[in-house]
Amino acid sequence: MAAAEGGAFLEYREPNIISILTLISFFLFLAIAEWASDKILRAGLIGQIVVGLIYGVPVGNILALEWQETFLALGYIGLILIIFEGGLTIRLDLLRQNFVLSVVAALLGLLTPIALSFALLYAGFGHGAIESFIVGTALCSTSLGTTFVVINSASKDVDFSQTRVGTVLISAAILDDVCGLVLVSVIHQLRGLADSDGSLGWIIGRPILASGLLAILTPLISKFVLGPAFRGFCEARFARLKHVSNILLMVLVLSAFLAISAYAGASVLFGSFLAGTVLSSLPSRHSDGPFVVTSRKHGEESLEKTPTFLHTFEKYILDVQRYVLQPLFFASIGFSVPFLDMWMGEMIWKGIVFSILMVCGKLVVGICVPVWDLIASSKSMHSVEEPTAITNWAPAALLGTAMVARGEIGLLIIQIGLNETPYLSEKAFIIAIWAIVLNTIVGPMSVGILLRKFGARIANDSRWGTQAKDQALDAHRVGMSLNELPRSSSSAQHPRDGER
């Protein structure tokens, strides 16, 4: 559409029938591919990535370029909302209790791929040290959006974000992404390093400092400033407008955290997660609190009650996110894959070998589960009837396999390395793309199969499954049986059906 000569408005023209039918077919095939991929591979997002490949520049280039750029932007908003929802639903009590374990898992998932990248690319294939570092950085991240989508869609009966292993998984994935995006700043400055220009120390240190301060200050300010202020001055008034007041505050808090994160030099994805956790921590927990309701209907109909922020998200945002923005996000991953360039003989076998190594680099994170139980049991007065490595193989496998997918962050980092530095060769770029694509396929598929077959076993595990919401989890009670813990209410296990 051409702008008017005066530039005061955009001339309205009816889209031609080819454009209309193309867009209809694109969204139709996104839905069909998601359904078929879920039935066959247990991971619907794979089908959406394939549709993105076909309709995008890599293969068919069926969609106009401006549409692809628009869908990429909308898809990124979908990614932000996926992570924001994760912040709203995550168990903050389990997050605090398992913080050390999450850090250990994140460091293992961060350092192992970088070390393996140096071992294969630098020592084995003869690539440069900085080149190997760029590829390792791209493969050290975990696709946070994919992680949330997989664990939320794998089972209709269990919300795995409410399990202990699910909380450790999400925390470790967030830490990996934050570290990966911090390392992006290093890659951004490699061109300046080559030209001997700029203060590399501050450029690298700024996102590290910004991310660290956000992680430390946000819970403190939320607990001692925002929470008391909200409960003292705002909470009772929210029962009057209910969803309206909720969504206004949600938009305000999310936008504020996105802006703070971006201008401070941290990741906007990290900011979106923090925004969700802040909102979930604001309401009072006592039974008379306006946000303490048994269901969304209870909050909507009672004069003294109001729906929770999660209820508002479900009613007004969730369907758009799930059926429009989320498919566009995974399709945009397909737009970014140089599919035709991947099919050169040398690149195929090197890419597959490197992909296998990168799968192992994240699977090793699962060892944290039996090792942590082994350490806990050595400090516990309880005895363990079976070896922990055998009894906890399913939670360990979930933690490892769910960390495998690289997705959007890996593609972002490797393309920055190719386009903005003189160090990354096209061969190393293609090898990295092979690993990112195959890992993004293998990871969700493996998690889907694992949770379909052993999801109930993981959820019912007394140490790594769903925990009582208001009871502190003692990591040293390794021998405690599930019957010794109070049963979680259905609302704790299924936050979408009731109050979190």
Side-chain angles (χ1 to χ4, degrees):
M1 296 181 184
E5 292 182 3
F9 63 92
L10 182 68
E11 182 179 346
Y12 183 87
R13 292 183 181 178
E14 183 181 83
N16 63 65
I17 188 61
I18 300 299
S19 298
I20 293 173
L21 293 179
T22 299
L23 290 173
I24 290 174
S25 67
F26 175 66
F27 283 100
L28 175 63
F29 282 120
L30 277 177
I32 294 174
E34 191 274 338
W35 174 83
S37 180
D38 183 64
K39 292 294 183 182
I40 299 171
L41 303 176
R42 308 300 187 189
L45 59 92
I46 296 172
Q48 294 166 344
I49 294 174
V50 172
V51 172
L53 277 170
I54 295 172
Y55 273 77
V57 173
V59 178
N61 201 18
I62 300 172
L63 290 173
L65 186 60
E66 56 266 26
W67 280 111
Q68 295 182 49
E69 292 173 345
T70 301
F71 290 157
L72 192 149
L74 290 174
Y76 200 79
I77 293 176
L79 173 61
I80 288 173
L81 291 177
I82 290 169
I83 297 173
F84 177 67
E85 181 192 8
L88 285 175
T89 58
I90 195 170
R91 288 278 299 274
L92 295 178
D93 55 337
L94 292 180
L95 183 63
R96 290 189 293 267
Q97 294 155 14
N98 296 285
F99 181 74
V100 175
L101 175 58
S102 300
V103 171
V104 172
L107 288 176
L108 192 59
L110 180 76
L111 298 177
T112 305
I114 295 178
L116 291 176
S117 177
F118 270 96
L120 185 65
L121 297 182
Y122 181 66
F125 293 164
H127 293 272
I130 297 181
E131 190 175 33
S132 301
F133 169 74
I134 295 173
V135 174
T137 300
L139 271 300
C140 76
S141 64
T142 298
S143 177
L144 191 56
T146 303
T147 300
F148 280 122
V149 170
V150 169
I151 66 173
N152 286 337
S153 61
S155 174
K156 296 180 180 178
D157 300 322
V158 179
D159 183 357
F160 285 94
S161 66
Q162 305 298 300
T163 63
R164 185 186 180 196
V165 67
T167 303
V168 173
L169 163 64
I170 292 170
S171 306
I174 289 170
L175 291 172
D176 271 359
D177 271 7
V178 169
C179 293
L181 290 164
V182 166
L183 291 175
V184 170
S185 66
V186 181
I187 296 174
H188 265 297
Q189 297 305 310
L190 288 177
R191 179 180 294 277
L193 180 64
D195 299 334
S196 299
D197 183 28
S199 175
L200 186 61
W202 169 241
I203 300 295
I204 296 172
R206 179 188 173 191
I208 297 175
L209 180 62
S211 301
L213 287 176
L214 278 173
I216 295 170
L217 294 179
T218 296
L220 293 177
I221 294 174
S222 177
K223 181 175 181 179
F224 296 109
V225 179
L226 298 179
F230 177 80
R231 291 187 286 272
F233 301 102
C234 304
E235 188 175 48
R237 295 178 172 86
F238 271 53
R240 301 175 187 173
L241 298 177
K242 300 184 184 296
H243 287 298
V244 175
S245 52
N246 280 5
I247 202 163
L248 287 175
L249 184 61
M250 289 166 66
V251 172
L252 177 64
V253 171
L254 177 59
S255 300
F257 270 90
L258 293 178
I260 291 170
S261 300
Y263 286 110
S267 166
V268 294
L269 301 181
F270 186 41
S272 66
F273 179 79
L274 290 177
T277 61
V278 166
L279 286 168
S280 67
S281 67
L282 292 180
S284 56
R285 302 298 181 186
H286 58 79
S287 59
D288 295 332
F291 285 86
V292 180
V293 293
T294 57
S295 65
R296 189 173 81 191
K297 184 178 180 180
H298 179 205
E300 291 172 339
E301 295 180 350
S302 175
L303 295 178
E304 298 179 353
K305 297 290 185 177
T306 183
T308 66
F309 294 111
L310 183 58
H311 290 152
T312 301
F313 187 92
E314 290 173 349
K315 182 171 183 177
Y316 291 103
I317 303 174
L318 186 61
D319 286 345
V320 176
Q321 173 204 306
R322 181 175 296 172
Y323 299 112
V324 180
L325 298 179
Q326 181 177 302
L328 288 179
F329 163 62
F330 290 113
S332 69
I333 293 180
F335 296 161
S336 305
V337 176
F339 184 75
L340 298 180
D341 295 335
M342 296 169 61
W343 300 99
M344 296 181 289
E346 180 184 3
M347 296 299 97
I348 294 174
W349 73 264
K350 284 186 176 180
I352 293 175
V353 170
F354 188 60
S355 300
I356 294 172
L357 207 60
M358 290 300 101
V359 170
C360 296
K362 289 293 187 179
L363 285 178
V364 71
V365 178
I367 201 173
C368 292
V369 170
V371 170
W372 195 262
D373 271 344
L374 184 62
I375 295 173
S377 63
S378 66
K379 299 179 181 180
S380 175
M381 299 295 293
H382 299 275
S383 61
V384 182
E385 297 179 359
E386 300 178 81
T388 57
I390 296 177
T391 57
N392 280 340
W393 72 266
L398 174 61
L399 180 59
T401 54
M403 295 281 286
V404 168
R406 296 335 199 265
E408 70 287 347
I409 304 299
L411 288 171
L412 171 66
I413 295 174
I414 201 64
Q415 292 195 23
I416 288 173
L418 178 68
N419 299 324
E420 300 187 20
T421 76
Y423 298 104
L424 190 65
S425 66
E426 187 174 348
K427 286 187 177 181
F429 173 76
I430 296 299
I431 291 173
I433 290 294
W434 265 105
I436 292 169
V437 172
L438 289 183
N439 278 249
T440 305
I441 293 173
V442 170
M445 185 171 62
S446 302
V447 172
I449 294 172
L450 177 69
L451 292 184
R452 294 291 174 88
K453 293 186 176 181
F454 303 103
R457 175 175 179 174
I458 297 172
N460 293 327
D461 189 281
S462 61
R463 289 155 288 182
W464 297 99
T466 304
Q467 306 294 314
K469 184 155 189 176
D470 295 321
Q471 177 173 327
L473 178 65
D474 186 353
H476 302 311
R477 299 183 202 171
V478 179
M480 180 178 287
S481 67
L482 184 61
N483 293 329
E484 292 177 290
L485 287 172
R487 291 281 183 180
S488 299
S489 66
S490 60
S491 62
Q493 294 186 32
H494 307 285
R496 299 188 181 195
D497 298 327
E499 168 62 13
R500 291 182 59 255

